[in-house]
PDB file of all heavy atoms in Angstrom:
ATOM      1  N   LEU A   1     -22.781 -16.424  -2.087  1.00 81.00           N
ATOM      2  CA  LEU A   1     -21.440 -15.843  -2.063  1.00 81.00           C
ATOM      3  C   LEU A   1     -21.299 -14.655  -3.016  1.00 81.00           C
ATOM      4  O   LEU A   1     -20.434 -13.801  -2.804  1.00 81.00           O
ATOM      5  CB  LEU A   1     -20.394 -16.900  -2.428  1.00 81.00           C
ATOM      6  CG  LEU A   1     -20.235 -18.099  -1.499  1.00 81.00           C
ATOM      7  CD1 LEU A   1     -19.192 -19.056  -2.045  1.00 81.00           C
ATOM      8  CD2 LEU A   1     -19.848 -17.649  -0.098  1.00 81.00           C
ATOM      9  N   TRP A   2     -22.121 -14.595  -4.056  1.00 84.00           N
ATOM     10  CA  TRP A   2     -21.913 -13.575  -5.078  1.00 84.00           C
ATOM     11  C   TRP A   2     -22.112 -12.157  -4.560  1.00 84.00           C
ATOM     12  O   TRP A   2     -21.314 -11.268  -4.879  1.00 84.00           O
ATOM     13  CB  TRP A   2     -22.822 -13.852  -6.283  1.00 84.00           C
ATOM     14  CG  TRP A   2     -22.469 -15.125  -6.997  1.00 84.00           C
ATOM     15  CD1 TRP A   2     -23.244 -16.238  -7.110  1.00 84.00           C
ATOM     16  CD2 TRP A   2     -21.249 -15.425  -7.681  1.00 84.00           C
ATOM     17  NE1 TRP A   2     -22.580 -17.219  -7.806  1.00 84.00           N
ATOM     18  CE2 TRP A   2     -21.350 -16.748  -8.173  1.00 84.00           C
ATOM     19  CE3 TRP A   2     -20.075 -14.716  -7.916  1.00 84.00           C
ATOM     20  CZ2 TRP A   2     -20.336 -17.364  -8.882  1.00 84.00           C
ATOM     21  CZ3 TRP A   2     -19.052 -15.337  -8.617  1.00 84.00           C
ATOM     22  CH2 TRP A   2     -19.187 -16.639  -9.099  1.00 84.00           C
ATOM     23  N   PRO A   3     -23.153 -11.872  -3.769  1.00 84.00           N
ATOM     24  CA  PRO A   3     -23.258 -10.498  -3.230  1.00 84.00           C
ATOM     25  C   PRO A   3     -22.069 -10.116  -2.357  1.00 84.00           C
ATOM     26  O   PRO A   3     -21.572  -8.978  -2.431  1.00 84.00           O
ATOM     27  CB  PRO A   3     -24.562 -10.535  -2.421  1.00 84.00           C
ATOM     28  CG  PRO A   3     -25.355 -11.645  -3.013  1.00 84.00           C
ATOM     29  CD  PRO A   3     -24.351 -12.674  -3.423  1.00 84.00           C
ATOM     30  N   ALA A   4     -21.611 -11.065  -1.523  1.00 85.00           N
ATOM     31  CA  ALA A   4     -20.452 -10.773  -0.672  1.00 85.00           C
ATOM     32  C   ALA A   4     -19.209 -10.546  -1.518  1.00 85.00           C
ATOM     33  O   ALA A   4     -18.387  -9.661  -1.217  1.00 85.00           O
ATOM     34  CB  ALA A   4     -20.230 -11.921   0.317  1.00 85.00           C
ATOM     35  N   LEU A   5     -19.046 -11.339  -2.587  1.00 89.00           N
ATOM     36  CA  LEU A   5     -17.893 -11.168  -3.474  1.00 89.00           C
ATOM     37  C   LEU A   5     -17.943  -9.819  -4.182  1.00 89.00           C
ATOM     38  O   LEU A   5     -16.917  -9.150  -4.346  1.00 89.00           O
ATOM     39  CB  LEU A   5     -17.861 -12.314  -4.486  1.00 89.00           C
ATOM     40  CG  LEU A   5     -16.594 -12.457  -5.326  1.00 89.00           C
ATOM     41  CD1 LEU A   5     -15.373 -12.684  -4.439  1.00 89.00           C
ATOM     42  CD2 LEU A   5     -16.738 -13.613  -6.312  1.00 89.00           C
ATOM     43  N   ALA A   6     -19.145  -9.402  -4.595  1.00 90.00           N
ATOM     44  CA  ALA A   6     -19.278  -8.096  -5.245  1.00 90.00           C
ATOM     45  C   ALA A   6     -18.962  -6.963  -4.272  1.00 90.00           C
ATOM     46  O   ALA A   6     -18.295  -5.981  -4.635  1.00 90.00           O
ATOM     47  CB  ALA A   6     -20.695  -7.950  -5.797  1.00 90.00           C
ATOM     48  N   LEU A   7     -19.432  -7.083  -3.033  1.00 88.00           N
ATOM     49  CA  LEU A   7     -19.123  -6.064  -2.024  1.00 88.00           C
ATOM     50  C   LEU A   7     -17.629  -5.986  -1.756  1.00 88.00           C
ATOM     51  O   LEU A   7     -17.061  -4.900  -1.603  1.00 88.00           O
ATOM     52  CB  LEU A   7     -19.870  -6.377  -0.729  1.00 88.00           C
ATOM     53  CG  LEU A   7     -21.340  -5.979  -0.651  1.00 88.00           C
ATOM     54  CD1 LEU A   7     -21.945  -6.475   0.662  1.00 88.00           C
ATOM     55  CD2 LEU A   7     -21.492  -4.469  -0.770  1.00 88.00           C
ATOM     56  N   LEU A   8     -16.969  -7.157  -1.695  1.00 89.00           N
ATOM     57  CA  LEU A   8     -15.527  -7.165  -1.457  1.00 89.00           C
ATOM     58  C   LEU A   8     -14.778  -6.518  -2.615  1.00 89.00           C
ATOM     59  O   LEU A   8     -13.842  -5.732  -2.403  1.00 89.00           O
ATOM     60  CB  LEU A   8     -15.044  -8.599  -1.241  1.00 89.00           C
ATOM     61  CG  LEU A   8     -13.535  -8.776  -1.069  1.00 89.00           C
ATOM     62  CD1 LEU A   8     -13.035  -7.975   0.123  1.00 89.00           C
ATOM     63  CD2 LEU A   8     -13.176 -10.250  -0.897  1.00 89.00           C
ATOM     64  N   ALA A   9     -15.185  -6.827  -3.851  1.00 90.00           N
ATOM     65  CA  ALA A   9     -14.529  -6.229  -5.007  1.00 90.00           C
ATOM     66  C   ALA A   9     -14.694  -4.711  -4.999  1.00 90.00           C
ATOM     67  O   ALA A   9     -13.730  -3.961  -5.247  1.00 90.00           O
ATOM     68  CB  ALA A   9     -15.102  -6.824  -6.303  1.00 90.00           C
ATOM     69  N   ALA A  10     -15.899  -4.241  -4.679  1.00 89.00           N
ATOM     70  CA  ALA A  10     -16.123  -2.789  -4.619  1.00 89.00           C
ATOM     71  C   ALA A  10     -15.300  -2.154  -3.508  1.00 89.00           C
ATOM     72  O   ALA A  10     -14.720  -1.067  -3.686  1.00 89.00           O
ATOM     73  CB  ALA A  10     -17.617  -2.514  -4.408  1.00 89.00           C
ATOM     74  N   SER A  11     -15.221  -2.821  -2.346  1.00 87.00           N
ATOM     75  CA  SER A  11     -14.438  -2.290  -1.235  1.00 87.00           C
ATOM     76  C   SER A  11     -12.958  -2.211  -1.591  1.00 87.00           C
ATOM     77  O   SER A  11     -12.277  -1.227  -1.256  1.00 87.00           O
ATOM     78  CB  SER A  11     -14.629  -3.169   0.008  1.00 87.00           C
ATOM     79  OG  SER A  11     -15.977  -3.213   0.410  1.00 87.00           O
ATOM     80  N   CYS A  12     -12.441  -3.228  -2.273  1.00 87.00           N
ATOM     81  CA  CYS A  12     -11.031  -3.234  -2.664  1.00 87.00           C
ATOM     82  C   CYS A  12     -10.730  -2.124  -3.660  1.00 87.00           C
ATOM     83  O   CYS A  12      -9.705  -1.439  -3.555  1.00 87.00           O
ATOM     84  CB  CYS A  12     -10.653  -4.597  -3.259  1.00 87.00           C
ATOM     85  SG  CYS A  12     -10.625  -5.959  -2.080  1.00 87.00           S
ATOM     86  N   VAL A  13     -11.620  -1.929  -4.629  1.00 87.00           N
ATOM     87  CA  VAL A  13     -11.414  -0.869  -5.619  1.00 87.00           C
ATOM     88  C   VAL A  13     -11.417   0.500  -4.946  1.00 87.00           C
ATOM     89  O   VAL A  13     -10.567   1.357  -5.216  1.00 87.00           O
ATOM     90  CB  VAL A  13     -12.488  -0.954  -6.718  1.00 87.00           C
ATOM     91  CG1 VAL A  13     -12.418   0.272  -7.627  1.00 87.00           C
ATOM     92  CG2 VAL A  13     -12.302  -2.217  -7.545  1.00 87.00           C
ATOM     93  N   LEU A  14     -12.383   0.725  -4.059  1.00 84.00           N
ATOM     94  CA  LEU A  14     -12.445   2.003  -3.352  1.00 84.00           C
ATOM     95  C   LEU A  14     -11.217   2.209  -2.475  1.00 84.00           C
ATOM     96  O   LEU A  14     -10.669   3.322  -2.409  1.00 84.00           O
ATOM     97  CB  LEU A  14     -13.712   2.069  -2.507  1.00 84.00           C
ATOM     98  CG  LEU A  14     -15.032   2.247  -3.266  1.00 84.00           C
ATOM     99  CD1 LEU A  14     -16.210   2.147  -2.311  1.00 84.00           C
ATOM    100  CD2 LEU A  14     -15.055   3.579  -4.008  1.00 84.00           C
ATOM    101  N   PHE A  15     -10.784   1.164  -1.792  1.00 83.00           N
ATOM    102  CA  PHE A  15      -9.624   1.297  -0.918  1.00 83.00           C
ATOM    103  C   PHE A  15      -8.372   1.665  -1.712  1.00 83.00           C
ATOM    104  O   PHE A  15      -7.555   2.472  -1.261  1.00 83.00           O
ATOM    105  CB  PHE A  15      -9.390  -0.008  -0.162  1.00 83.00           C
ATOM    106  CG  PHE A  15      -8.215   0.027   0.758  1.00 83.00           C
ATOM    107  CD1 PHE A  15      -8.297   0.622   2.006  1.00 83.00           C
ATOM    108  CD2 PHE A  15      -7.000  -0.534   0.384  1.00 83.00           C
ATOM    109  CE1 PHE A  15      -7.209   0.671   2.857  1.00 83.00           C
ATOM    110  CE2 PHE A  15      -5.904  -0.495   1.225  1.00 83.00           C
ATOM    111  CZ  PHE A  15      -6.013   0.113   2.464  1.00 83.00           C
ATOM    112  N   MET A  16      -8.218   1.063  -2.894  1.00 83.00           N
ATOM    113  CA  MET A  16      -7.013   1.285  -3.686  1.00 83.00           C
ATOM    114  C   MET A  16      -7.028   2.623  -4.423  1.00 83.00           C
ATOM    115  O   MET A  16      -5.961   3.177  -4.722  1.00 83.00           O
ATOM    116  CB  MET A  16      -6.843   0.150  -4.694  1.00 83.00           C
ATOM    117  CG  MET A  16      -6.567  -1.209  -4.064  1.00 83.00           C
ATOM    118  SD  MET A  16      -4.986  -1.280  -3.213  1.00 83.00           S
ATOM    119  CE  MET A  16      -3.839  -1.154  -4.579  1.00 83.00           C
ATOM    120  N   THR A  17      -8.217   3.157  -4.739  1.00 83.00           N
ATOM    121  CA  THR A  17      -8.279   4.326  -5.622  1.00 83.00           C
ATOM    122  C   THR A  17      -8.778   5.599  -4.952  1.00 83.00           C
ATOM    123  O   THR A  17      -8.491   6.698  -5.444  1.00 83.00           O
ATOM    124  CB  THR A  17      -9.199   4.023  -6.822  1.00 83.00           C
ATOM    125  OG1 THR A  17     -10.527   3.715  -6.344  1.00 83.00           O
ATOM    126  CG2 THR A  17      -8.669   2.825  -7.605  1.00 83.00           C
ATOM    127  N   LEU A  18      -9.506   5.498  -3.855  1.00 78.00           N
ATOM    128  CA  LEU A  18     -10.132   6.685  -3.257  1.00 78.00           C
ATOM    129  C   LEU A  18      -9.071   7.656  -2.748  1.00 78.00           C
ATOM    130  O   LEU A  18      -8.193   7.290  -1.962  1.00 78.00           O
ATOM    131  CB  LEU A  18     -11.049   6.270  -2.108  1.00 78.00           C
ATOM    132  CG  LEU A  18     -12.084   7.303  -1.644  1.00 78.00           C
ATOM    133  CD1 LEU A  18     -13.056   7.611  -2.787  1.00 78.00           C
ATOM    134  CD2 LEU A  18     -12.845   6.762  -0.437  1.00 78.00           C
ATOM    135  N   GLY A  19      -9.124   8.872  -3.211  1.00 72.00           N
ATOM    136  CA  GLY A  19      -8.195   9.905  -2.761  1.00 72.00           C
ATOM    137  C   GLY A  19      -6.773   9.747  -3.259  1.00 72.00           C
ATOM    138  O   GLY A  19      -5.852  10.335  -2.688  1.00 72.00           O
ATOM    139  N   ALA A  20      -6.565   8.968  -4.325  1.00 70.00           N
ATOM    140  CA  ALA A  20      -5.202   8.752  -4.822  1.00 70.00           C
ATOM    141  C   ALA A  20      -4.632   9.990  -5.500  1.00 70.00           C
ATOM    142  O   ALA A  20      -3.419  10.237  -5.460  1.00 70.00           O
ATOM    143  CB  ALA A  20      -5.190   7.581  -5.800  1.00 70.00           C
ATOM    144  N   ASN A  21      -5.474  10.767  -6.187  1.00 72.00           N
ATOM    145  CA  ASN A  21      -5.055  12.025  -6.827  1.00 72.00           C
ATOM    146  C   ASN A  21      -3.932  11.827  -7.840  1.00 72.00           C
ATOM    147  O   ASN A  21      -3.068  12.689  -8.004  1.00 72.00           O
ATOM    148  CB  ASN A  21      -4.630  13.055  -5.771  1.00 72.00           C
ATOM    149  CG  ASN A  21      -5.759  13.419  -4.837  1.00 72.00           C
ATOM    150  OD1 ASN A  21      -6.921  13.505  -5.254  1.00 72.00           O
ATOM    151  ND2 ASN A  21      -5.439  13.607  -3.562  1.00 72.00           N
ATOM    152  N   GLY A  22      -3.908  10.665  -8.483  1.00 66.00           N
ATOM    153  CA  GLY A  22      -2.954  10.434  -9.557  1.00 66.00           C
ATOM    154  C   GLY A  22      -1.578   9.976  -9.150  1.00 66.00           C
ATOM    155  O   GLY A  22      -0.749   9.675 -10.013  1.00 66.00           O
ATOM    156  N   HIS A  23      -1.272   9.885  -7.865  1.00 69.00           N
ATOM    157  CA  HIS A  23       0.062   9.467  -7.426  1.00 69.00           C
ATOM    158  C   HIS A  23       0.115   7.929  -7.326  1.00 69.00           C
ATOM    159  O   HIS A  23       0.342   7.353  -6.262  1.00 69.00           O
ATOM    160  CB  HIS A  23       0.389  10.102  -6.073  1.00 69.00           C
ATOM    161  CG  HIS A  23       0.323  11.601  -6.085  1.00 69.00           C
ATOM    162  ND1 HIS A  23       1.236  12.385  -6.754  1.00 69.00           N
ATOM    163  CD2 HIS A  23      -0.560  12.461  -5.519  1.00 69.00           C
ATOM    164  CE1 HIS A  23       0.922  13.656  -6.602  1.00 69.00           C
ATOM    165  NE2 HIS A  23      -0.171  13.736  -5.852  1.00 69.00           N
ATOM    166  N   TRP A  24      -0.073   7.273  -8.464  1.00 72.00           N
ATOM    167  CA  TRP A  24      -0.247   5.820  -8.460  1.00 72.00           C
ATOM    168  C   TRP A  24       1.026   5.074  -8.100  1.00 72.00           C
ATOM    169  O   TRP A  24       0.963   4.008  -7.486  1.00 72.00           O
ATOM    170  CB  TRP A  24      -0.746   5.358  -9.829  1.00 72.00           C
ATOM    171  CG  TRP A  24      -2.050   5.976 -10.217  1.00 72.00           C
ATOM    172  CD1 TRP A  24      -2.265   6.899 -11.195  1.00 72.00           C
ATOM    173  CD2 TRP A  24      -3.324   5.746  -9.605  1.00 72.00           C
ATOM    174  NE1 TRP A  24      -3.595   7.265 -11.248  1.00 72.00           N
ATOM    175  CE2 TRP A  24      -4.267   6.564 -10.282  1.00 72.00           C
ATOM    176  CE3 TRP A  24      -3.760   4.942  -8.555  1.00 72.00           C
ATOM    177  CZ2 TRP A  24      -5.616   6.577  -9.950  1.00 72.00           C
ATOM    178  CZ3 TRP A  24      -5.102   4.964  -8.221  1.00 72.00           C
ATOM    179  CH2 TRP A  24      -6.010   5.768  -8.910  1.00 72.00           C
ATOM    180  N   ASP A  25       2.189   5.600  -8.478  1.00 76.00           N
ATOM    181  CA  ASP A  25       3.440   4.885  -8.197  1.00 76.00           C
ATOM    182  C   ASP A  25       3.723   4.812  -6.702  1.00 76.00           C
ATOM    183  O   ASP A  25       4.422   3.902  -6.233  1.00 76.00           O
ATOM    184  CB  ASP A  25       4.616   5.550  -8.913  1.00 76.00           C
ATOM    185  CG  ASP A  25       4.729   7.033  -8.605  1.00 76.00           C
ATOM    186  OD1 ASP A  25       3.716   7.613  -8.162  1.00 76.00           O
ATOM    187  OD2 ASP A  25       5.814   7.611  -8.811  1.00 76.00           O
ATOM    188  N   PHE A  26       3.189   5.740  -5.928  1.00 75.00           N
ATOM    189  CA  PHE A  26       3.338   5.701  -4.471  1.00 75.00           C
ATOM    190  C   PHE A  26       2.151   5.014  -3.799  1.00 75.00           C
ATOM    191  O   PHE A  26       2.298   4.233  -2.861  1.00 75.00           O
ATOM    192  CB  PHE A  26       3.490   7.128  -3.922  1.00 75.00           C
ATOM    193  CG  PHE A  26       3.421   7.209  -2.415  1.00 75.00           C
ATOM    194  CD1 PHE A  26       4.495   6.820  -1.640  1.00 75.00           C
ATOM    195  CD2 PHE A  26       2.263   7.657  -1.781  1.00 75.00           C
ATOM    196  CE1 PHE A  26       4.431   6.882  -0.250  1.00 75.00           C
ATOM    197  CE2 PHE A  26       2.182   7.728  -0.404  1.00 75.00           C
ATOM    198  CZ  PHE A  26       3.277   7.337   0.364  1.00 75.00           C
ATOM    199  N   VAL A  27       0.944   5.318  -4.286  1.00 76.00           N
ATOM    200  CA  VAL A  27      -0.276   4.859  -3.616  1.00 76.00           C
ATOM    201  C   VAL A  27      -0.475   3.362  -3.761  1.00 76.00           C
ATOM    202  O   VAL A  27      -0.759   2.657  -2.776  1.00 76.00           O
ATOM    203  CB  VAL A  27      -1.496   5.626  -4.171  1.00 76.00           C
ATOM    204  CG1 VAL A  27      -2.794   4.975  -3.704  1.00 76.00           C
ATOM    205  CG2 VAL A  27      -1.447   7.075  -3.739  1.00 76.00           C
ATOM    206  N   LEU A  28      -0.327   2.841  -4.980  1.00 80.00           N
ATOM    207  CA  LEU A  28      -0.659   1.440  -5.224  1.00 80.00           C
ATOM    208  C   LEU A  28       0.207   0.468  -4.422  1.00 80.00           C
ATOM    209  O   LEU A  28      -0.329  -0.471  -3.809  1.00 80.00           O
ATOM    210  CB  LEU A  28      -0.574   1.135  -6.718  1.00 80.00           C
ATOM    211  CG  LEU A  28      -1.665   1.780  -7.592  1.00 80.00           C
ATOM    212  CD1 LEU A  28      -1.501   1.368  -9.042  1.00 80.00           C
ATOM    213  CD2 LEU A  28      -3.049   1.396  -7.092  1.00 80.00           C
TER     214      LEU A  28
END
């Protein structure tokens, strides 16, 4: 499960932050 969990964590971080350009109050 650990590799899958690591992949999911990386995917979630990328999804939440990629291309945000600092507009966190709208993006998040």
Side-chain angles (χ1 to χ4, degrees):
L1 297 178
W2 294 116
L5 191 60
L7 280 175
L8 176 59
S11 300
C12 291
V13 171
L14 288 174
F15 180 80
M16 294 294 292
T17 60
L18 197 63
N21 298 323
H23 303 290
W24 300 110
D25 54 340
F26 170 76
V27 168
L28 290 182

